[in-house]
Each structure stands twice: as structure tokens, then as C-alpha cells.
Amino acid sequence: MSESLSVLLVEDDPIQRSLAHRILSLEARLSVFTAADGLEGLAFALQHHPQVILLDLILPGISGLELLRRYRDQGGTAKVLALSQAPGQWVCDAALAAGADFFFPKPVHWGEVLRLLLFLCDDLTSRCRTLLLKLGAPADWAGFSQTALAAGLLAGRRCQLMKEVYIETARQFQTSPAGVEVNIRRLISHLYRKGGPPLPEPFPPPGRPPSNKDFLRIMVQAVTFPL
């Protein structure tokens, strides 16, 4: 299943902004909006809630890093792709520390950005279900669909805390948060049962099963970072 994706591009260079808008707008599943400085970008992001933000880090008004910090501090949950021509690993590290999900050095290969955006268009819960099947999880268990939904909620940043994940999953399955927690734990224990096949990286090797939180976070990493 594929979905449409609203994308905000914050870029002060008019030529680069126009070029990126033309390229990305060729894809029917993307709704692309633009902002020319940091303050305009922050205001748009907080008011219109785009699902993805393409963010130049060097901007007039406020910098991309400052925009990102304020956006995350005010609860912004969009996927953020930071873009910068500044040299050095520290720029990437600073962007990720401020809340970016991905980093692209300039000059940007827009074909790679488009590939990532189309990847993000795919339904995250469906992707989590596919991953669980590959891991050998029993699809007829209650914990299977609940684990897929819980990981999808985290991957889409619809929930931040495990308590929120359990509550929302329970609401959709008309059960209790405690029951969801137990079902996910039971599924993980099955995958890490004694004598069972080892799970592929980045999942931990056989031994003590990871916690629900750790297992779901690893699932998120596996489904949101394309190989």
C-alpha cells in the first residue's frame, strides 16, 4: 500500500529551490511546499504539519539547526532530511543530534532524495508486517499484528513513548494496553526461543530476548533506513 506524502523544502537559494521543486513535483505521490528562510519554514512546519522536511542548514532568519531544535521542542514529528554544503562530520553529527533523521551533503543528488521519499511513501505498518514474516513470526498470533502496528507507530513518529504505543495499539485492537505489552513480549520470546534460528542483523544474537522497546526500535531502524 502506498500513500501520498506532504514535503516541505526549506531552501534560501532560489535556483536550488526551484530545481528541487520541479524534480520532486514530477512524482504524483508528493505534495511539495517551499519556504525561503528559517522563520518561514518553522512557521509553515508548525502550522501545516508536513510529513517530511527537506532542510538546508544554512539559512537566513534562523539557521536550519535552530529551526530543527525549535521544531522538535514544540513537538514536531516530521521526518527531517538535513542538507548542507558545510564540510566535516561534525555537521552531520550536529544535525542528527538536533533531531534530523537523515543527512545529505551538498551538492544534493536529487534522484537519491526522491528514492528515499518514495520509500517513505510506503505504508510503515505493512512494511513491519513483512519484516516480521521474514523473521519467522507466527502471523496467526495476536502479537503479530499488534507488534507490526506498534513498530509502525514508532516509525511514523505517531507515538514517542512506549506507553503511548501500547495505548494507541490497544485502542485500534479494542483490547487493553497491558494485553498488548504481553502479546508483544510473547512474540519476541518466540523469536528468541531456545534452539530457534538466529535473527539477522541488526537484531541481537541468540540469548536473552531484548525488551519490547529495544525490539521495536530495531524494527523501526530496519524499516525506515532503506538498504
Side-chain angles (χ1 to χ4, degrees):
M1 175 182 177
S2 294
E3 304 174 340
S4 61
L5 204 68
S6 58
V7 179
L8 169 63
L9 170 65
V10 188
E11 168 63 69
D12 64 312
D13 186 315
I15 296 177
Q16 290 296 319
R17 188 170 64 249
S18 176
L19 173 64
H21 185 271
R22 287 202 307 270
I23 292 173
L24 299 178
S25 295
L26 291 174
E27 171 53 54
R29 286 177 289 174
L30 302 181
S31 298
V32 184
F33 307 90
T34 62
D37 63 54
L39 290 173
E40 180 187 357
L42 178 61
F44 186 98
L46 292 174
Q47 181 177 354
H48 297 285
H49 310 291
Q51 293 162 286
V52 179
I53 301 174
L54 304 180
L55 178 62
D56 185 17
L57 296 184
I58 301 177
L59 295 168
I62 58 173
S63 70
L65 284 177
E66 181 61 24
L67 185 161
L68 183 53
R69 292 190 189 100
R70 295 188 190 182
Y71 176 70
R72 293 297 191 216
D73 285 346
Q74 295 185 59
T77 61
K79 293 286 184 184
V80 175
L81 284 65
L83 316 171
S84 180
Q85 62 185 3
Q89 180 64 33
W90 72 269
V91 181
C92 176
D93 293 342
L96 296 177
D101 298 280
F102 306 91
F103 179 85
F104 284 86
K106 287 189 171 183
V108 175
H109 190 305
W110 287 106
E112 288 298 307
V113 173
L114 182 58
R115 184 178 72 89
L116 177 58
L117 291 176
L118 294 179
F119 179 89
L120 294 175
C121 279
D122 293 336
D123 181 70
L124 291 169
T125 299
S126 295
R127 208 180 302 161
C128 290
R129 291 178 65 88
T130 300
L131 175 59
L132 286 173
L133 288 173
K134 290 180 179 179
L135 297 178
D140 58 341
W141 285 21
F144 180 91
S145 294
Q146 292 174 6
T147 301
L149 176 59
L153 291 170
L154 287 170
R157 292 183 177 270
R158 291 174 57 191
C159 297
Q160 300 293 318
L161 303 175
M162 287 302 299
K163 181 179 180 180
E164 296 172 335
V165 171
Y166 293 144
I167 291 174
E168 178 58 21
T169 303
R171 184 188 69 80
Q172 295 198 33
F173 282 90
Q174 298 184 335
T175 186
S176 69
V180 170
E181 182 177 6
V182 169
N183 286 336
I184 294 176
R185 164 54 42 198
R186 181 168 172 251
L187 187 83
I188 296 171
S189 297
H190 173 79
L191 293 175
Y192 280 85
R193 65 192 183 279
K194 185 176 181 180
L199 273 61
E201 294 185 354
F203 293 91
R208 184 176 181 180
S211 67
N212 287 10
K213 179 179 179 180
D214 288 343
F215 184 83
L216 292 176
R217 295 291 184 188
I218 296 170
M219 284 189 64
V220 169
Q221 177 184 343
V223 300
T224 55
F225 289 83
L227 300 177

